[in-house]
Amino acid sequence: MEAGVIRRLPSGWEDAIVVCGKCSKKLGGGFGAKGRQSLVKALRKRLGLGKGRKARVGIVETKCLGVCPKRAVVVGRAGGWLVVPEGTDVDQVAAELGLRDR
């Protein structure tokens, strides 16, 4: 690839959600049917989303977002942040984010 050449890659994403990886790591799970999944994995599974640029919605785990709540995970998207307490129902999180099933 030539230096200075910017390429555009297609993405199937309708929306992009970022989840704080540090918060997720501190909890060591806390979501899903048995409370053992990370919020990212639980959301992807519940909504039938894949990984990568071919997914309908991009749910990406990032580095620390700097909010650092206790026993909760920070989720961000254009327009605002959510602080999601450990054990919150994944359906409720999806509804707050405005995400729907396939």
Side-chain angles (χ1 to χ4, degrees):
M1 181 160 43
E2 295 179 42
V5 176
I6 298 174
R7 296 185 323 155
R8 186 174 301 270
L9 296 175
S11 168
W13 291 3
E14 298 169 5
D15 200 356
I17 310 291
V18 293
V19 178
C20 180
K22 186 175 180 181
C23 292
S24 293
K25 188 174 181 178
K26 278 187 187 177
L27 289 182
F31 299 94
K34 295 182 180 179
R36 295 183 185 157
Q37 287 182 316
S38 70
L39 183 56
V40 171
K41 287 184 181 181
L43 277 172
R44 282 186 187 142
K45 183 176 180 181
R46 171 64 186 90
L47 298 170
L49 302 173
K51 289 167 74 173
R53 63 187 180 109
K54 293 183 180 181
R56 183 175 50 85
V57 174
I59 300 178
V60 181
E61 195 167 76
T62 66
K63 291 187 176 187
C64 183
L65 294 173
V67 179
C68 305
K70 294 194 184 285
R71 306 199 56 78
V73 177
V74 176
V75 178
R77 73 186 290 188
W81 302 86
L82 296 176
V83 176
V84 181
E86 178 181 28
T88 302
D89 184 60
V90 178
D91 289 330
Q92 182 182 353
V93 177
E96 285 286 331
L97 290 168
L99 300 175
R100 63 194 188 296
D101 290 344
R102 301 180 214 185

